[in-house]
Amino acid sequence: MTVPLFDPATPLHPLRPQIDAAIARVLDSERYVLGPEVAAFEEEFARYVGVQHAVGVANGTEAITIALRALGVGPGDEVVVPSFSFWASAEAIPPLGAVPVFCDVDPETYCVTLDSVRAAVTPKTKAIIAVHLFGNVAPVRELEEELGLPVVEDAAQAAGSLGPDGRPGALGSLATFSFYPSKNLGALGDGGAITTGDAALAERVKQLRFHGSRDKVTYEAVGYNSRLDELQAAILRVQLPHLDEWADHRRAAAVHYAEALQDSVGLPRATVGARPAWHLYVIRHPEPDALAARLRARGIECRGYYRQPIHAQPAVLAGGWAPRVPLPGTDAAAAQHLAIPISASITREQVDEVAATVRELAAAPAA
Ligand SMILES: Cc1ncc(COP(=O)(O)O)c(C=O)c1O
């Protein structure tokens, strides 16, 4: 049996007629940019997340840059960001002239903690990026309340997750989503969104996504051309009503994995009160690359995503943004993590096969 690491295509098969109809609707409308589909998706996505405003943008990376910009982050400011994340979480900061300051994560939840962020905060800190990594839910409310700084949630991997205080996207000052095809809610190309409960921030984000203009006549700021396409919005609207059932499927697979693997490997731990829609199911093993090679030889796809954490990347070293605090949780997670298959369409048979093979091979001595 071959088991793919993720599978964004299969859940869309039953929706094909609706997706075809949505595409035809956009073609017939002859409106391709910032039209009725984007407006409707923004309203529906905001309602789903449980927040007042959603603004479609071109991708999840620009979403972070624009969210920070809306908060007034600029040259000389510092933004605290976890080093154990996808590169884009930090990459979004330097284009503003701001400095990424790396903080640690808990190596079992893969998320920042109040203490790890506090250790990186200085008087120059203007904002914090909390990443809901792998679909787990970072303690965003606690960070804002205890530290008195605005938090941008990087919720690229967490559509469909639930936290004790609400859904990712409704927890911080602003939140950012990616609709890259492999995400829990994925477009058929690039896409992203910014959510916020603050009407003034939403207005600012809308202005920034369209060249710094509200009326396409007067340009009040140097902004971005960062828009969600009508086609992608129409396709996302077909999928959104299915997100919860897909998230439940991921959660059920994670429960089976946790039962089967608890004595074999390190398991991802949900943060307190969270019900993650695991975007990736990420175990830990002392020799993850050797384990990965053995799993692949048995047809099971797996991957270490962030073996070299952001603070060790060449562009960070060249930029002079070396970490100022020790990052032991990051180093441990980076060295040991391994994503094993999970998706909204993974079958029970596949989960059982993966779990049995991981159990067998995790215990095997290194070749
Ligand atoms: C945690 C995280 N942040 C940001 C991004 C950037 O999103 P995009 O690829 O849509 O720019 C991604 C996804 O690729 C991600 O996983």
Side-chain angles (χ1 to χ4, degrees), residues 241-292:
H242 300 275
L243 179 56
D244 277 340
E245 114 211 3
W246 293 340
D248 283 342
H249 194 97
R250 290 173 180 276
R251 281 189 272 269
V255 168
H256 292 312
Y257 274 146
E259 280 165 6
L261 295 175
Q262 57 187 329
D263 301 324
S264 309
V265 294
L267 297 176
R269 180 164 52 78
T271 51
V272 177
R275 297 188 59 224
W278 296 107
H279 170 59
L280 294 168
Y281 194 82
V282 180
I283 59 171
R284 292 177 308 285
H285 186 270
E287 295 184 340
D289 292 329
L291 175 60

Side-chain angles (χ1 to χ4, degrees), residues 324-355:
R324 302 169 182 172
V325 294
L327 303 172
T330 299
D331 291 335
Q336 296 179 2
H337 77 286
L338 186 67
I340 60 173
I342 198 161
S343 73
S345 56
I346 194 166
T347 64
R348 180 65 199 264
E349 257 183 310
Q350 288 175 315
V351 171
D352 287 344
E353 171 79 10
V354 172

Side-chain angles (χ1 to χ4, degrees), residues 65-325:
T65 301
I66 292 172
L68 292 172
R69 189 62 198 283
L71 287 172
V73 173
D77 292 331
E78 294 179 358
V79 177
V80 175
V81 63
S83 172
F84 190 68
S85 182
F86 178 55
W87 165 247
S89 302
E91 185 190 27
I93 301 168
L96 300 171
V99 176
V101 176
F102 295 102
C103 72
D104 209 8
V105 293
D106 177 326
E108 294 187 359
T109 66
Y110 307 115
C111 286
V112 299
T113 65
L114 175 59
D115 288 343
S116 79
V117 173
R118 203 197 307 264
V121 166
T122 78
K124 288 187 175 174
T125 308
K126 186 90 176 194
I128 296 157
I129 296 174
V131 184
H132 299 301
L133 200 67
F134 305 142
N136 211 351
V137 183
V140 173
R141 285 268 163 87
E142 188 187 14
L143 292 174
E144 284 203 339
E145 282 167 16
E146 295 293 322
L147 301 175
L149 287 162
V151 173
V152 172
E153 304 171 60
D154 179 347
Q157 300 186 4
S161 294
L162 290 160
D165 306 311
R167 289 192 183 281
L171 309 175
S173 293
L174 292 143
T176 62
F177 288 85
S178 164
F179 303 126
Y180 184 77
S182 63
K183 296 293 192 266
N184 291 359
L185 179 66
L188 303 188
D190 280 308
I194 297 170
T195 56
T196 179
D198 183 315
L201 285 175
E203 264 315 297
R204 179 90 176 128
V205 165
K206 278 189 183 162
Q207 181 199 49
L208 288 168
R209 84 169 159 184
F210 188 87
H211 303 288
S213 177
R214 284 169 224 263
D215 58 4
K216 306 187 184 177
V217 178
T218 311
Y219 296 86
E220 298 165 68
V222 174
Y224 306 84
N225 175 0
S226 187
R227 301 172 298 222
L228 181 64
D229 294 340
E230 284 285 283
L231 266 177
Q232 300 303 347
I235 292 161
L236 288 166
R237 290 183 69 201
V238 175
Q239 296 185 52
L240 184 58
H242 300 275
L243 179 56
D244 277 340
E245 114 211 3
W246 293 340
D248 283 342
H249 194 97
R250 290 173 180 276
R251 281 189 272 269
V255 168
H256 292 312
Y257 274 146
E259 280 165 6
L261 295 175
Q262 57 187 329
D263 301 324
S264 309
V265 294
L267 297 176
R269 180 164 52 78
T271 51
V272 177
R275 297 188 59 224
W278 296 107
H279 170 59
L280 294 168
Y281 194 82
V282 180
I283 59 171
R284 292 177 308 285
H285 186 270
E287 295 184 340
D289 292 329
L291 175 60
R294 296 197 291 263
L295 285 168
R296 277 189 214 109
R298 297 273 289 269
I300 293 174
E301 284 186 15
C302 49
R303 187 170 153 195
Y305 271 81
Y306 313 129
R307 197 67 75 219
Q308 196 173 1
I310 298 177
H311 75 268
Q313 293 293 341
V316 165
L317 303 178
W321 304 307
R324 302 169 182 172
V325 294

